[in-house]
Amino acid sequence: MHKPTKSLLPGATLGVLGGGQLGRMFVHCAQRMGFKTAVLDPDPQSPAGLVSHHHIATDFTDPHGLQELIHLCDAVTTEFENVPAIVLKELAAHRPVNPSAHAVSIAQDRIREKKHFSDCKVPVAPYDVIETQKDLETISIDLMPGILKTARLGYDGKGQIRVKTSNDLKLAWDELQGHREAEPLMPCVLEKLLPLEFECSIILARNTSGLIVNLPPQRNIHREGILALTQVHPGCLPVALGAQLIEFASAVATQLEYVGVLCVEFFVLKSAAPSTSLDGAYSLVVNEIAPRPHNSGHYSVEACDISQFELQVRALTNLPLTAPRQLCPALMLNLLGNLWLSPESTAEQSIWREPDWSSILALSGVHLNLYGKHEPRKLRKMGHITITGTDTDSLYKTLNQITKILGMPAFDKP
Ligand code: ATP
Ligand code: MG
């Protein structure tokens, strides 16, 4: 395994596996710092490929594509969570690569991920593993109502179905297996549906010496299983909760010997639930990890002195990690493809048009980020807006002016 001892300096070329919006923001940041970039993604129009010095438009497993990446790059990272671990291993034989194949392979598999959390003594939601039809018979009724989730390849609420009865569970299992009779079965986990008070996440970076720095804890609001709003301002989370989040997330990263940027997502419950109590009011349960920057950390580009993408650059190049400081309160609103639908659309025919950016950009403290995706689709992440300001009330006022312009339901201040 290639272990970097020296730092890579500006002028070096940094590679990223995956050409989505996370890769695009990594590329923007790396270029600002004077690095060159190479993106590997099969889509010739990928958001990151469009802005990178080099774009290798092959599959992640294509030997020629990987050879070219090794040839062009001094170090390689990933923005795509489902890149086969074997690819990271192969690259790591030639170049510094982080996060490691081991860490990514754990994040890709909910079963191994949950075991890792338990090994770190971080509480998880009650769950059971279902690997065969027969396992459905022995599931404890205590897990109902629950959510059946595929162990692999889920994202943005895809690959999961809510179930109330054992009959629902059987139907959900069949649905998640799809029409894959000839294929091996897709292992799943059944998680108990928890009464969430709210959700939050923490983004940290860890280097090869084991030093950890983190962004401020974020509170997240999901709609339809997809992140809708991230809140990072005084009063958005109880202080004791923030400290506990950092402690749990650091334990998860340290035990993985993680190097790079890691996001850990948590559920917050009223403290009657069986996990660690915080001031008697709340308890935390870890949901999942993402071995890369995360949608809930996008605000850091405009609201912090070091963004999550700069942390990724610094960790990859073994440059110093210093603790990011938040410069002002912030909100981040996701822009999904639905917002591009014209009111004239019908059930049969979608008519697309550009949202009214002029009215939105007329408001103070608005930072529009669009990912350069050519085609809107209903739940596709097309961009986000970060809102910054000096006081929290004015942020929410601006936010709800924006939601009104976009025709979305409003958000309340916590
Ligand atoms: P993403 O890729 O957006 O992070 P995902 O597809 O990996 O999402 P999860 O994070 O497991 O899926 O779940 C998506 C959302 O569904 C959670 O953020 C939460 O709002 C809700 N959810 C998931 N599991 C539970 C649970 N056990 N109890 C209550 N709500 C849950
Ligand atoms: Mg999630």
Side-chain angles (χ1 to χ4, degrees), residues 38 45 76 81 101 110 122 134 136 142 180 190 196 201 203 207 217 225 268 274 306 337 367 370 374-375:
Q45 299 292 326
V76 179
E81 189 166 333
R110 289 189 195 274
V122 179
K134 220 161 161 244
L136 294 170
D142 291 346
R180 311 171 68 251
L190 177 66
L196 311 187
S201 57
I203 289 164
N207 67 13
V268 184
I306 300 182
H367 311 268
L370 293 174
H374 290 298
E375 219 187 306

Side-chain angles (χ1 to χ4, degrees), residues 168-372:
D168 287 354
L169 179 62
K170 286 197 183 91
L171 293 173
W173 165 265
D174 286 343
E175 188 173 334
L176 291 179
Q177 297 309 321
H179 304 286
R180 311 171 68 251
E181 282 86 10
E183 308 267 332
L185 288 172
M186 178 110 80
C188 290
V189 296
L190 177 66
E191 251 177 63
K192 191 176 174 66
L193 183 70
L194 298 172
L196 311 187
E197 280 295 300
F198 53 89
E199 297 183 59
C200 47
S201 57
I202 191 98
I203 289 164
L204 59 76
R206 185 174 179 277
N207 67 13
T208 46
S209 322
L211 174 74
I212 292 178
V213 299
N214 62 272
L215 287 171
Q218 298 119 204
R219 180 164 173 155
N220 300 321
I221 296 178
H222 290 75
R223 287 178 174 169
E224 295 186 57
I226 303 180
L227 182 66
L229 184 75
T230 294
Q231 302 154 306
V232 205
H233 53 71
C236 71
L237 289 172
V239 176
L241 196 67
Q244 181 79 83
L245 288 169
I246 294 166
E247 196 185 305
F248 281 160
S250 301
V252 167
T254 301
Q255 290 225 30
L256 271 178
E257 295 186 37
Y258 194 87
V259 177
V261 171
L262 180 76
C263 176
V264 188
E265 290 181 56
F266 291 91
F267 297 147
V268 184
L269 313 172
K270 281 238 170 78
S271 73
S275 59
T276 316
S277 171
L278 293 154
D279 294 346
Y282 296 114
S283 60
L284 275 176
V285 162
V286 65
N287 174 25
E288 60 176 355
I289 53 174
R292 49 165 172 78
H294 191 258
N295 194 170
S296 62
H298 290 352
Y299 73 94
S300 61
V301 171
E302 291 98 354
C304 296
D305 59 358
I306 300 182
S307 73
Q308 60 172 348
F309 302 103
E310 181 161 344
L311 291 175
Q312 189 179 19
V313 171
R314 288 179 183 230
L316 181 62
T317 53
N318 206 28
L319 284 166
L321 288 181
T322 61
R325 287 176 298 193
Q326 188 175 359
L327 305 172
C328 59
L331 298 172
M332 188 283 313
L333 176 71
N334 260 346
L335 302 171
L336 301 185
N338 311 33
L339 302 173
W340 273 247
L341 267 182
S342 147
E344 283 101 61
S345 296
T346 59
E348 293 77 41
Q349 200 196 3
S350 301
I351 301 169
W352 304 98
R353 53 105 180 91
E354 206 60 24
D356 179 5
W357 302 129
S358 299
S359 300
I360 290 171
L361 290 170
L363 305 168
S364 303
V366 165
H367 311 268
L368 178 64
N369 290 260
L370 293 174
Y371 307 145

Side-chain angles (χ1 to χ4, degrees), residues 47-105:
L50 290 176
V51 297
S52 179
H53 291 91
H54 306 280
H55 178 195
I56 306 164
T58 66
D59 278 350
F60 296 104
T61 48
D62 182 297
H64 300 293
L66 294 175
Q67 204 47 54
E68 198 180 342
L69 195 67
I70 293 166
H71 172 71
L72 286 170
C73 297
D74 298 291
V76 179
T77 187
T78 181
E79 64 105 50
F80 176 59
E81 189 166 333
N82 288 318
V83 56
I86 183 89
V87 167
L88 293 173
K89 232 183 192 162
E90 163 65 18
L91 291 171
H94 303 276
R95 292 287 180 270
V97 171
N98 72 54
S100 69
H102 172 67
V104 172
S105 70

